[in-house]
């Protein structure tokens, strides 16, 4: 069998979604029907294969992305199951960076929820082809048409409906395949067996409507297909599938499937769709299989049994145990001890891996998330991974000297694993500060420190990771001149510093000869170091551009360190003159709440300096003993979706408050939207010594 055929038979996919949409349950069913596992596990019972961490099983959520593989109809499918909670968004980010395609799972009742939008845009960033699986169609209140409208309006995507739900005796029984125009029904409890049957009632009429729409959409993508469709010539199912695949891989359309993973309905057809429509490595890879070895390290895991485990995606070439690989970032060579095929926290040692594979490596000590591995004689640098900035921090203090040693080791290990987790020492208080993406993120880290590393520590209250920003343009000069006998130190820079909308930029505009080229990297390094501490209260500076305009040097006394120190001095002097302001993280929040608690929830948002941006409502049928209630107009079954913006500083402990306001009947999600200026009245309380 040739390598080309092998590549054609590989699918690297992930399941991504809002929290509790059914990613892990769907993965569990995929593994069951492909024969990878023999018994179905349940998230609520803490028995799933993919949620293997103790914290995941206790909380019923996915915290870390887990990799596995299976075989379906002769195709090798590598799967990454990702978290849905926004605190662990980097797990989704790095998975999407290395996947060829993904399945976005939507809740049939909730539709496109906030984190669904987030993961969708993350997939946009890496141009990942997607399929959509509308899950939980068995639940009361599930509305397939509503979800389709959400896809159009909230994701700005064009859905390609390939299945619609099929109900028999008022229960979700299966789905109608729009391509083949056949209903598929499930009867047995485990969902292993399904039947293809005839239409009943209005089913065929409804299916024909969707089939016609599908053919019209596909006609937009291929002139030959359009000609056949317009002239009513026969179009085979294989031709239809070929065009669907082409449109999916290009990102023009997004095939939509439906089912109920928990009730074991529709997963086999979803697997067929993954094979039929999502790309193989050669469909999307920018590096050809015939080239030399290259891979991206996308995840680091510290394993108590094997030590440091580096997850890689191979883009070209082959490697085997004992070989050495070159790290483009460190310019160092490291030796591979073992190659492992992963199945959640279980592993299988293999003797070779090649193009398209996702595996774990043992033996790499200095490789980090986002590093490119390749051959030293043929170096390449692959696109790295976007790492979001942390927004919450807490102080941590070991209880004993013994705990101090354990803490240092635990922090270094977890920093290797999680690039969104940061550690620093406060210069004024000498406190150790750890920061992350949210309260839950830090809570899990502290729990892991205790369980996995035996660390006992005093933990401070969560604090907001504020930022600072300048508001006006300034020109500034920095000189570092020192004479100490023999060679001295000389560095001189002239800079312009100005605010921008987002990020940090350093631009070299020095004319030839004013500053030698070899000193420019040191100047840039000094600029980056200087903006780590702002003039108001030492918070990092963001949203500014630094231009290196001019300067001078001394043929003997100039050095990298002199130019770096001159730059740090100039930037700090300049930002003090640039009318800096304090910024706070503003969170995008969506609350799902019933009618009777809506007023209290809206009042509470206002009290937290929040703004309500939109309010949507829909009727949810009440149930009585598993049957639909006649009280469909009762106010308590009207569900509201509140979208708003609230400062993070006002949201600590919100879970408890919301539970109290709504008798535990409301849910919410929150993620970082942007940074905004802290109102003066609030800033005066935070920083009275600075602002008074």
């Amino acid at each position: 069998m040739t390598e080309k055929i092998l590549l054609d038979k590989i699918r690297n996919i992930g399941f991504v979604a809002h929290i509790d949409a059914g990613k892990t349950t769907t993965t569990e069913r995929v593994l069951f029907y492909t024969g990878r596992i023999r018994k179905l596990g349940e998230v609520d019972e803490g028995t799933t294969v993919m949620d293997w961490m103790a914290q995941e099983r206790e909380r019923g959520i996915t915290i870390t992305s887990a990799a596995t593989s299976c075989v379906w109809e002769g195709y090798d499918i590598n799967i990454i199951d990702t978290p849905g909670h926004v605190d662990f968004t980097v797990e989704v980010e790095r998975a999407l960076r290395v996947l060829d395609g993904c399945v976005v799972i939507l809740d049939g009742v909730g539709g496109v929820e906030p984190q669904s939008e987030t993961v969708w845009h993350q997939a946009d960033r890496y141009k990942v082809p997607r399929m959509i699986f509308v899950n939980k169609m068995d639940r009361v209140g599930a509305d397939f048409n509503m979800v389709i409208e959400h896809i159009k309006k909230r994701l700005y995507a064009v859905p390609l409906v390939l299945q619609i739900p099929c109900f028999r005796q008022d229960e979700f029984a299966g789905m109608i395949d729009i391509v083949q125009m056949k209903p598929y029904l499930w009867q047995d409890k485990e969902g292993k067996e399904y039947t293809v049957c005839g239409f009943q009632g209005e089913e065929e009429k409804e299916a024909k409507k969707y089939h016609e729409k599908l053919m019209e959409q596909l006609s937009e993508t291929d002139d030959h297909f359009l000609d056949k469709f317009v002239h009513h010539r026969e179009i085979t199912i294989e031709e239809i599938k070929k065009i669907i695949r082409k449109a999916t891989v290009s990102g023009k359309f997004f095939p939509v499937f439906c089912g109920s993973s928990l009730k074991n309905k529709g997963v086999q057809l979803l697997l067929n769709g993954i094979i039929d429509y999502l790309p193989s490595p050669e469909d999307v890879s920018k590096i050809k299989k015939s080239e030399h070895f290259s891979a991206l390290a996308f995840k680091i895991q510290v394993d108590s049994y094997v030590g440091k485990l580096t997850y890689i995606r191979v883009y070209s070439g082959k490697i085997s145990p004992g070989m050495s690989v070159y790290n483009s970032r460190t310019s160092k060579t490291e030796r591979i001890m073992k190659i492992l095929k992963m199945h959640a926290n279980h592993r299988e040692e293999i003797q070779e891996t090649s193009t398209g594979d996702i595996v774990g490596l043992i033996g790499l000590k200095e490789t980090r998330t986002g590093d490119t591995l390749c051959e030293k004689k043929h170096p390449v640098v692959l696109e790295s991974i976007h790492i979001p900035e942390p927004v919450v921090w807490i102080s941590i203090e070991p209880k004993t000297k013994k705990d101090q040693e354990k803490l240092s080791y635990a922090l270094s290990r977890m920093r290797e694993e999680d690039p969104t987790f940061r550690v620093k020492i406060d210069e004024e208080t000498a406190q150790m500060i750890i920061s992350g993406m949210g309260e839950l993120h830090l809570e899990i880290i502290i729990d892991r420190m205790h369980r996995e590393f035996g660390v006992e520590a005093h933990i401070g209250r969560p604090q907001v990771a504020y930022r600072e920003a300048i508001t006006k343009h300034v020109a500034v000069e920095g000189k570092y001149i020192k004479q100490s006998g023999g060679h001295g130190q000389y560095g001189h820079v002239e800079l312009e510093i100005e605010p921008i909308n987002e990020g940090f930029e350093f631009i070299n505009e020095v004319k030839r000869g004013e500053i030698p080229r070899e000193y420019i990297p040191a100047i840039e390094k000094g600029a980056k170091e200087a903006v780590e501490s702002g003039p108001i209260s030492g918070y990092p500076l963001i949203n500014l551009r630094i231009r290196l305009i001019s300067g001078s040097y001394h043929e003997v006394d100039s050095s990298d360190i002199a130019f770096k120190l001159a730059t740090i001095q100039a930037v700090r002097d300049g930002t003090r003159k640039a009318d800096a302001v304090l910024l706070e993280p503003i969170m995008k929040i969506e609350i799902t709440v019933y009618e009777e608690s809506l007023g209290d929830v809206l009042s509470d948002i206002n009290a937290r300096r929040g703004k309500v941006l939109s309010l949507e409502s829909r009727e949810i049928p009440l149930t009585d003993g598993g049957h639909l209630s006649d009280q469909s107009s009762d106010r308590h079954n009207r569900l509201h979706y509140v979208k708003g913006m609230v400062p993070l500083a006002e949201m600590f402990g919100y879970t408890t408050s919301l539970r109290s306001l709504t008798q535990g009947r409301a849910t919410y999600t929150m993620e970082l939207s942007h940074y905004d200026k802290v109102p003066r009245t609030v800033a005066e309380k935070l920083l009275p010594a600075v602002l008074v």
Side-chain angles (χ1 to χ4, degrees), residues 274-331:
I274 289 169
I275 287 169
D276 288 340
Y277 307 126
L278 287 183
S280 71
E282 69 174 4
D283 290 324
V284 294
S285 180
K286 295 177 182 177
I287 296 180
K288 302 303 180 185
K289 58 186 178 297
S290 59
E291 295 183 6
H292 300 278
F293 171 73
S294 67
L296 187 78
F298 68 94
K299 179 179 172 70
I300 307 297
Q301 182 179 317
V302 179
D303 190 286
S304 57
Y305 296 102
V306 300
K308 184 176 175 181
L309 182 62
T310 305
Y311 286 78
I312 67 164
R313 159 69 195 269
V314 182
Y315 283 94
S316 62
K318 296 180 180 181
I319 51 170
S320 56
M323 289 179 61
S324 294
V325 291
Y326 179 74
N327 187 316
S328 296
R329 178 185 62 83
T330 64
S331 300

Side-chain angles (χ1 to χ4, degrees), residues 391-641:
V391 295
V392 177
W393 62 267
I394 58 174
S395 62
I396 183 168
E397 182 182 345
K399 289 184 177 180
T400 67
K401 188 174 181 180
K402 189 176 180 181
D403 285 316
Q404 173 70 57
E405 296 171 1
K406 291 181 182 177
L407 178 62
S408 298
Y409 178 75
L411 291 175
S412 65
R413 295 286 77 78
M414 284 192 281
R415 284 179 67 191
E416 282 188 276
E417 287 190 359
D418 186 350
T420 62
F421 174 58
R422 311 287 171 84
V423 182
K424 73 172 186 176
I425 303 296
D426 188 292
E427 293 179 1
E428 293 184 9
T429 65
Q431 277 186 314
M432 181 174 286
I433 304 297
I434 61 174
S435 55
M437 300 305 297
E439 285 183 275
L440 179 61
H441 185 199
L442 294 181
E443 188 181 317
I444 295 296
I445 283 172
I446 292 164
D447 187 35
R448 287 188 61 197
M449 281 186 201
H450 177 70
R451 293 195 198 200
E452 297 175 28
F453 301 96
V455 175
E456 297 292 338
H458 299 290
I459 308 299
R461 292 181 59 192
Q463 303 290 328
V464 176
Y466 291 97
R467 296 288 186 268
E468 298 180 24
I470 61 172
T471 59
K472 72 176 187 181
H473 174 279
V474 294
V476 67
E477 184 178 28
K479 286 186 178 181
Y480 183 79
I481 303 174
K482 190 174 182 180
Q483 295 294 333
S484 56
H487 287 319
Q489 296 285 356
Y490 183 92
H492 170 221
V493 295
E494 294 179 16
L495 309 175
E496 288 188 5
I497 308 173
E498 58 190 351
I500 58 176
N501 290 331
E502 187 176 359
F504 168 81
E505 295 178 11
F506 175 84
I507 300 175
N508 174 25
E509 296 182 356
V510 170
K511 296 176 183 176
R512 181 176 296 181
E514 291 179 333
I515 299 175
R517 184 178 299 175
E518 61 262 30
Y519 296 128
I520 303 302
I523 294 171
E524 183 174 359
K525 188 175 181 181
K528 289 179 178 177
E529 189 174 310
V531 301
E532 289 176 3
S533 179
I536 298 177
S537 195
Y539 292 111
L541 281 156
I542 61 172
N543 304 345
L544 76 162
R545 178 186 294 123
I546 297 176
R547 298 179 188 273
L548 175 60
I549 303 299
S550 184
S552 62
Y553 73 102
H554 189 281
E555 289 186 0
V556 176
D557 293 348
S558 285
S559 65
D560 283 347
I561 188 66
F563 274 106
K564 178 183 174 183
L565 292 173
T567 304
I568 291 173
Q569 175 193 320
V571 172
R572 288 179 177 168
D573 288 347
T575 54
R576 277 193 289 267
K577 300 173 185 176
D579 295 346
V581 295
L582 192 66
L583 304 179
E584 63 180 339
I586 304 298
M587 311 305 286
K588 181 170 66 175
I589 187 170
E590 181 164 331
I591 307 165
T592 303
V593 57
Y594 285 91
E595 177 82 17
E596 70 270 20
S597 303
L598 178 62
D600 292 336
V601 168
L602 294 177
S603 297
D604 185 62
I605 290 175
N606 289 329
R608 295 174 185 271
R609 296 194 285 126
K611 295 179 182 178
V612 175
L613 301 179
S614 67
L615 179 62
E616 296 180 18
S617 305
R618 63 183 290 239
E619 296 286 344
I620 299 293
L622 294 176
T623 59
D624 179 16
H627 301 287
L628 289 179
S629 169
D630 293 331
Q631 306 174 46
S632 59
S633 62
D634 189 287
R635 67 187 180 91
H636 295 299
N637 74 320
R638 179 175 284 273
L639 202 57
H640 298 277
Y641 303 93

Side-chain angles (χ1 to χ4, degrees), residues 46 53-61 447 451:
M53 291 175 63
Q55 293 87 347
E56 293 177 314
R57 295 189 167 184
E58 289 170 1
R59 297 163 189 263
I61 62 171
D447 187 35
R451 293 195 198 200

Side-chain angles (χ1 to χ4, degrees), residues 50-333:
M50 302 305 282
D51 283 348
W52 57 270
M53 291 175 63
Q55 293 87 347
E56 293 177 314
R57 295 189 167 184
E58 289 170 1
R59 297 163 189 263
I61 62 171
T62 301
I63 293 169
T64 183
S65 56
T68 188
S69 59
C70 57
V71 177
W72 181 254
E73 302 294 342
Y75 285 77
D76 289 326
I77 305 177
N78 295 315
I79 302 170
I80 299 181
D81 177 34
T82 65
H85 198 287
V86 69
D87 281 21
F88 311 107
T89 188
V90 73
E91 294 287 341
V92 182
E93 191 80 32
R94 53 187 173 189
L96 287 170
R97 169 60 187 84
V98 298
L99 294 173
D100 299 325
C102 72
V103 178
V104 179
I105 300 177
L106 301 179
D107 187 323
V109 178
V112 176
E113 298 168 282
Q115 188 63 8
S116 304
E117 295 183 53
T118 300
V119 298
W120 188 269
H121 297 315
Q122 286 175 296
D124 281 340
R125 180 182 291 127
Y126 299 112
K127 297 181 174 60
V128 181
R130 277 146 277 175
M131 282 171 36
I132 297 169
F133 181 60
V134 183
N135 194 23
K136 303 188 179 183
M137 287 307 303
D138 60 299
R139 289 182 57 192
V140 172
D143 187 337
F144 184 76
N145 292 328
M146 175 270 291
V147 178
I148 297 300
E149 288 304 307
H150 276 196
I151 293 168
K152 296 174 184 175
K153 294 178 180 178
R154 296 186 178 182
L155 301 180
Y156 306 103
V158 183
L160 204 63
V161 178
L162 304 187
Q163 293 178 352
I164 58 174
C166 181
F167 294 89
R168 298 282 170 96
Q169 287 79 50
D170 293 328
E171 289 188 355
F172 177 66
M175 60 287 306
I176 297 172
D177 186 313
I178 300 303
V179 176
Q180 302 192 60
M181 289 295 287
K182 295 176 182 177
Y184 288 75
L185 304 184
W186 274 258
Q187 277 92 28
D188 72 304
K189 189 175 180 181
E190 286 193 335
K192 288 184 177 180
E193 303 296 330
Y194 58 89
T195 57
V196 182
C197 58
F199 291 106
Q200 289 185 5
E202 297 289 310
E203 290 174 352
E204 185 172 14
K205 181 180 177 183
E206 183 75 359
K208 283 182 177 178
K209 182 180 74 175
Y210 277 98
H211 186 79
E212 188 74 13
K213 173 67 174 176
L214 172 65
M215 300 300 277
E216 290 174 0
Q217 288 179 291
L218 297 179
S219 296
E220 298 173 16
T221 67
D222 187 273
D223 290 339
H224 181 65
F225 191 94
L226 172 63
D227 183 66
K228 277 193 165 187
F229 177 65
V230 169
H231 294 94
H232 305 288
R233 294 205 296 270
E234 182 186 0
I235 301 175
T236 66
I237 289 174
E238 288 307 312
E239 285 180 291
I240 295 173
K241 287 184 175 182
K242 183 179 178 182
I243 300 300
I244 293 173
R245 179 182 178 82
K246 177 183 174 184
T248 305
V249 172
S250 69
K252 184 176 179 64
F253 293 133
F254 302 94
V256 180
F257 291 70
C258 64
S260 170
S261 297
L262 184 64
K263 299 298 182 181
N264 310 316
K265 295 176 181 177
V267 177
Q268 295 97 326
L269 300 190
L270 178 64
L271 277 165
N272 291 342
I274 289 169
I275 287 169
D276 288 340
Y277 307 126
L278 287 183
S280 71
E282 69 174 4
D283 290 324
V284 294
S285 180
K286 295 177 182 177
I287 296 180
K288 302 303 180 185
K289 58 186 178 297
S290 59
E291 295 183 6
H292 300 278
F293 171 73
S294 67
L296 187 78
F298 68 94
K299 179 179 172 70
I300 307 297
Q301 182 179 317
V302 179
D303 190 286
S304 57
Y305 296 102
V306 300
K308 184 176 175 181
L309 182 62
T310 305
Y311 286 78
I312 67 164
R313 159 69 195 269
V314 182
Y315 283 94
S316 62
K318 296 180 180 181
I319 51 170
S320 56
M323 289 179 61
S324 294
V325 291
Y326 179 74
N327 187 316
S328 296
R329 178 185 62 83
T330 64
S331 300
K332 292 182 179 179
T333 299

Side-chain angles (χ1 to χ4, degrees), residues 14-56:
F15 291 116
V16 299
H18 183 88
I19 190 169
D20 201 33
K23 297 177 301 299
T24 301
T25 300
T26 303
T27 307
E28 195 80 4
R29 269 54 182 172
V30 165
L31 296 178
F32 179 68
Y33 296 127
T34 58
R36 194 70 168 82
I37 60 175
R38 295 185 178 182
K39 182 182 178 183
L40 283 172
E42 303 296 345
V43 171
D44 293 341
E45 297 172 7
T47 56
T48 60
V49 171
M50 302 305 282
D51 283 348
W52 57 270
M53 291 175 63
Q55 293 87 347
E56 293 177 314

